[in-house]
């Protein structure tokens, strides 16, 4: 197990900042998908939007910042959306800390 951990650390140390950001974002996208969200990209390079099937309004969406690795939801979003946003935000923070170790 220690050998695997050291190999991961060595790989992280050899990554550029851009590669690290891409790895964090990819992990967050996969995590959001595991919660049942679909990702839509507005192609401006800064945010992606996570929505669940049956999406009908922006109130039911979660915006994710690719550069800051945090999420944003409307104040009047449902409790379920807010709870999922907190989960995604916590996961993103976990990924950021993993790559800064």
């Amino acid at each position: 197990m220690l050998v695997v951990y050291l190999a991961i650390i060595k790989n992280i140390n050899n990554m550029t900042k851009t590669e690290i950001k891409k790895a964090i974002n990819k992990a967050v996208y996969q995590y959001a998908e595991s919660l049942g969200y679909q990702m839509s990209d507005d192609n401006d390079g800064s945010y992606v939007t996570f929505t669940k099937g049956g999406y009908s309004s922006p109130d039911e969406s979660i915006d994710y910042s690719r550069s800051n690795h945090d999420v944003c939801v409307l104040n009047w979003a449902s409790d379920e959306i807010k709870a999922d946003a907190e989960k995604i935000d916590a996961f993103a923070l976990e990924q950021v800390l993993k790559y800064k170790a």
Side-chain angles (χ1 to χ4, degrees):
M1 187 68 168
L2 179 62
V3 174
V4 172
Y5 176 76
L6 292 175
I8 290 170
I9 295 299
K10 182 178 178 186
N11 186 34
I12 291 171
N13 289 336
N14 291 332
M15 295 173 78
T16 65
K17 288 182 181 181
T18 301
E19 290 171 331
I20 290 171
K21 282 188 177 272
K22 287 181 180 180
I24 292 168
N25 289 336
K26 183 177 179 181
V28 170
Y29 302 157
Q30 290 172 341
Y31 181 72
E33 286 178 0
S34 76
L35 294 175
Y37 286 88
Q38 299 171 344
M39 182 183 78
S40 62
D41 184 357
D42 58 7
N43 291 320
D44 73 351
S46 59
Y47 283 89
V48 295
T49 302
F50 299 124
T51 56
K52 284 196 173 183
Y55 167 78
S56 62
S57 75
D59 299 355
E60 302 171 10
S61 65
I62 300 171
D63 287 333
Y64 170 73
S65 170
R66 291 179 179 162
S67 58
N68 296 330
H69 308 294
D70 61 2
V71 299
C72 180
V73 294
L74 295 173
N75 290 339
W76 53 86
S78 70
D79 290 339
E80 177 188 2
I81 298 296
K82 288 179 181 178
D84 286 347
E86 287 180 16
K87 290 177 189 175
I88 294 170
D89 205 30
F91 181 81
L93 178 61
E94 180 182 305
Q95 295 300 305
V96 168
L97 295 175
K98 174 177 127 180
Y99 283 97
K100 290 190 178 193

